[in-house]
Amino acid sequence: MPTSLNTIIKPDMTPDVYGRIPMVCESGLAMTKASMTRFIMHVLKHNIELLSLHPFNANYHGCHVSAAVRIKPDQIAAFEAETGGKLQEPATLNLN
């Protein structure tokens, strides 16, 4: 039994069999035809696994969209340049 009550839960960052790691995109994507088309076309053309896609409020055109993807580290710069989204590692949960 641990002596401390602090628990840190880190996401699994081990690459899958294709060398892809999980990343989240929480800025730069909007619910517009242009933004979503660029994003989906890039994901499909480059064998990027789409884990989740969530609009902030689907009732409003142009609302913020967050996405989780599984991507190769060498594809991150091209993804950010093409889609306008900024990728970052998934959040770490710290329970006190």
Side-chain angles (χ1 to χ4, degrees):
M1 183 164 172
T3 59
S4 174
L5 295 177
N6 294 337
T7 304
I8 297 176
I9 301 173
K10 293 187 178 189
D12 183 19
M13 293 297 290
T14 57
D16 65 1
V17 295
Y18 302 109
R20 301 176 300 191
I21 57 171
M23 299 291 280
V24 294
C25 182
E26 295 182 343
S27 64
L29 297 179
M31 199 171 79
T32 61
K33 287 180 185 177
S35 180
M36 289 293 95
T37 300
R38 281 192 309 268
F39 173 74
I40 294 297
M41 290 300 290
H42 189 80
V43 165
L44 293 174
K45 286 168 46 175
H46 294 93
N47 195 27
I48 298 170
E49 182 181 355
L50 180 60
L51 301 173
S52 68
L53 188 64
H54 299 284
F56 181 69
N57 189 341
N59 294 325
Y60 295 100
H61 178 76
C63 74
H64 171 75
V65 175
S66 63
V69 295
R70 195 175 286 273
I71 187 171
K72 292 180 182 177
D74 61 342
Q75 294 177 320
I76 292 174
F79 177 91
E80 291 177 346
E82 178 68 25
T83 65
K86 178 73 176 137
L87 289 173
Q88 57 190 15
E89 291 182 359
T92 299
L93 181 63
N94 187 357
L95 303 174
N96 288 329

